Amino acid sequence: MSDARPSVAEPFTDPLQQHRAAMMGMYVFLGSEIMLFGGLFCIAAAVRLAHAPEIVRASHALHSGIGGINTAILLTSSLFVALGVESAKEGRAKIASGWLVGAAALGLVFLVMKAYEYWMEFTEGLLPIEGVHSRYVDDVQHLFMNLYLIATSLHAVHLSIGIVLLIALLFRLTLGSIKLPERAIVLVTVGLYWHLVDVIWVFLYPVFYLAR
C-alpha cells in the first residue's frame, strides 16, 4: 500500500511543520519590508507636521488622478492573486494560472502608468533631478519630492520583483513542477508578498498625493 501523505523537504518531518516554517520565514521577511517603508512613512509624517503649508503646496502639484487609477489597478491585482491562491488550494492549476496572468498584467500596467507619470513630472520640473529646472522655491518642497521619488521608486522595484515571481510561478504551473494542492504554500507565500506591496501603495497614495 502506497504512502498517501504529501512529500516534505528535508529537514522537516511532516507537512504541518514545513508549512509553519515557510509561513514564519515569510512573516519575518515581510516584517523587515514593513520596517523599511515604515521608516520612510515616519520621515514623511515628521516633515508634514513640521512644515504643513509647504508640504500641502508640493502635494497639490502631483497627479493624484494617475495615483488613484494605479491604486485601483493594484487592489484589483490583489483580488486576482487571492483568487489564484484559492484555486491553487483546490488543485485547479489552470484556473490559478489564469488569475496570476491577470495579476501580472495589471502589475505591468501599473509600472507603465508610473513611468508615464514620472515623465510628466520630469517635463514639469517636479522631480528632484540634478540639472533639471525645479518648480519648487524652498528646501522643504524639494525634500518632499525627494521622499516621494525614493518611496515610489522603491515600491516600483518591489512590484517588479513581484511580477517576476508571478511569471516564475506561471512557468512552474505550466510545466507541472508545482504539485497542487499539496504545494499551494508556494503560491500562498508569493501572494502574501504581492499583497504587502499593494498595501504599501495604499499608504503611499494618501501620504504623498493627498497631503492636505
Side-chain angles (χ1 to χ4, degrees):
M1 183 176 180
S2 61
D3 189 354
R5 293 180 303 173
S7 60
V8 295
E10 294 183 355
F12 304 107
T13 57
D14 65 79
L16 180 60
Q17 181 190 39
Q18 181 173 267
H19 175 85
R20 288 175 174 173
M23 294 302 293
M24 176 60 71
M26 194 62 191
Y27 289 146
V28 171
F29 170 73
L30 296 181
S32 67
E33 294 296 297
I34 291 173
M35 288 189 290
L36 171 62
F37 282 94
L40 292 174
F41 288 136
C42 288
I43 295 172
V47 175
R48 172 69 172 81
L49 292 174
H51 306 279
E54 295 90 340
I55 297 303
V56 170
R57 286 196 296 270
S59 177
H60 280 167
L62 296 178
H63 302 91
S64 58
I66 296 177
I69 293 173
N70 267 343
T71 301
I73 289 172
L74 281 190
L75 290 177
T76 305
S77 74
S78 267
L79 172 62
F80 286 1
V81 168
L83 292 172
V85 170
E86 290 304 311
S87 298
K89 290 179 179 179
E90 297 171 0
R92 298 183 295 175
K94 289 185 177 180
I95 296 177
S97 298
W99 289 120
L100 295 185
V101 167
L106 288 177
L108 290 173
V109 172
F110 177 96
L111 292 179
V112 170
M113 292 282 290
K114 192 63 196 167
Y116 174 68
E117 184 182 7
Y118 280 148
W119 178 82
M120 291 179 63
E121 291 162 350
F122 174 79
T123 58
E124 295 169 1
L126 296 177
L127 292 184
I129 299 176
E130 189 69 27
V132 176
H133 176 71
S134 175
R135 283 176 49 182
Y136 298 120
V137 295
D138 58 58
D139 292 337
V140 175
Q141 292 176 329
H142 188 74
L143 173 60
F144 173 84
M145 287 306 299
N146 272 316
L147 290 172
Y148 162 80
L149 183 59
I150 292 171
T152 56
S153 59
L154 187 60
H155 174 267
V157 170
H158 281 73
L159 182 62
S160 300
I161 294 172
I163 294 172
V164 171
L165 291 175
L166 290 182
I167 293 174
L169 281 180
L170 286 170
F171 275 109
R172 294 187 63 186
L173 287 173
T174 302
L175 296 174
S177 60
I178 299 180
K179 187 178 180 182
L180 298 179
E182 292 84 356
R183 295 295 295 156
I185 184 63
V186 178
L187 280 77
V188 171
T189 53
V190 172
L192 286 174
Y193 175 81
W194 189 269
H195 295 321
L196 176 67
V197 173
D198 291 357
V199 169
I200 289 172
W201 179 260
V202 169
F203 282 93
L204 284 175
Y205 179 62
V207 166
F208 291 101
Y209 290 87
L210 304 180
R212 302 291 185 265

